[in-house]
Amino acid sequence: MRKDREASQEVPDARGLSFALVVSRFNDFVTDRLQDGALGALASAGVSTDEVSVLSVPGSFELPLAARCVAETKRFDAVICLGCLIRGATSHFEYIASAVSSGIIHASAETKVPISFGVLTTNSVEEALERAGQGPSNKGREAAIAAIEMAILLRELVRSRKDGNPA
Ligand code: DLZ
């Protein structure tokens, strides 16, 4: 029987790490819920509220630039991008979705700061709300957990390099 990856997703211990959330205001009736999911995951991971900053941008299209600028400050161990693109309501849906996803991965690769992709791309409002509900399937929560995992991984790589371990 296939184990439900989402339901089994445990929150790693992220005490001592700091995170920035960059959240789109477009479709805020959804992105507010993604933000709640992400903040809940960070709290469960033991991250202090002093170590979390939330920045707001007009729409998902603005996420990559804001995330890159935040990452360049080097004040955060990871950045979490949250947005919601709804195909039915967005005539240039494909264009924005592709610009946002490639903008985020390039910002992350070029700054070497993990930036997670918590941007919903759905066919309808109903689908978006389903992915932003309370509980383990909230995609904001999933994006926060991915950011935590990557921040821990990079911290370990830096430590192992300092210890002379090539891994
Ligand atoms: C303009 C627009 C449209 C039509 N739809 C969405 C959407 O579904 N989700 C979203 O996050 N943003 C949308 N936007 C706004 C763009 O992301 C962007 O903010 C504007 O084009 C200004 O650059």
Side-chain angles (χ1 to χ4, degrees):
M1 194 170 69
R2 191 179 73 89
K3 197 170 174 209
D4 187 341
R5 188 190 152 270
E6 292 170 356
S8 68
Q9 223 178 0
E10 282 175 22
V11 184
D13 183 343
R15 278 173 292 179
L17 293 170
S18 56
F19 296 86
L21 270 71
V22 185
V23 187
S24 159
R25 290 194 300 278
F26 205 100
N27 293 329
D28 62 0
F29 64 100
V30 176
T31 59
D32 284 351
R33 297 176 188 207
L34 297 176
Q35 181 176 321
D36 290 345
L39 291 174
L42 294 175
S44 304
V47 179
S48 131
T49 51
D50 298 344
E51 300 291 352
V52 180
S53 294
V54 180
L55 292 90
S56 167
V57 294
S60 294
F61 193 70
E62 283 70 39
L63 287 169
L65 175 61
R68 178 185 287 261
C69 293
V70 170
E72 282 172 348
T73 67
K74 303 289 179 194
R75 285 177 45 211
F76 301 97
D77 295 292
V79 181
I80 300 155
C81 286
L82 303 176
C84 173
L85 289 157
I86 301 175
R87 186 190 297 272
T90 309
S91 54
H92 44 322
F93 174 90
E94 266 84 15
Y95 179 75
I96 298 184
S98 132
V100 174
S101 58
S102 72
I104 288 177
I105 191 60
H106 284 114
S108 186
E110 285 157 25
T111 58
K112 295 195 172 62
V113 174
I115 304 178
S116 67
F117 184 79
V119 182
L120 300 182
T121 52
T122 66
N123 289 311
S124 64
V125 169
E126 291 71 28
E127 266 182 33
L129 288 170
E130 250 170 52
R131 290 161 171 73
Q134 286 181 350
S137 62
N138 180 296
K139 299 294 174 191
R141 172 187 155 87
E142 286 186 14
I145 294 173
I148 291 169
E149 271 188 43
M150 290 302 293
I152 292 171
L153 177 69
L154 265 63
R155 181 176 62 183
E156 283 167 4
L157 285 172
V158 169
R159 279 184 188 157
S160 68
R161 221 180 293 146
K162 280 183 185 152
D163 294 345
N165 182 342

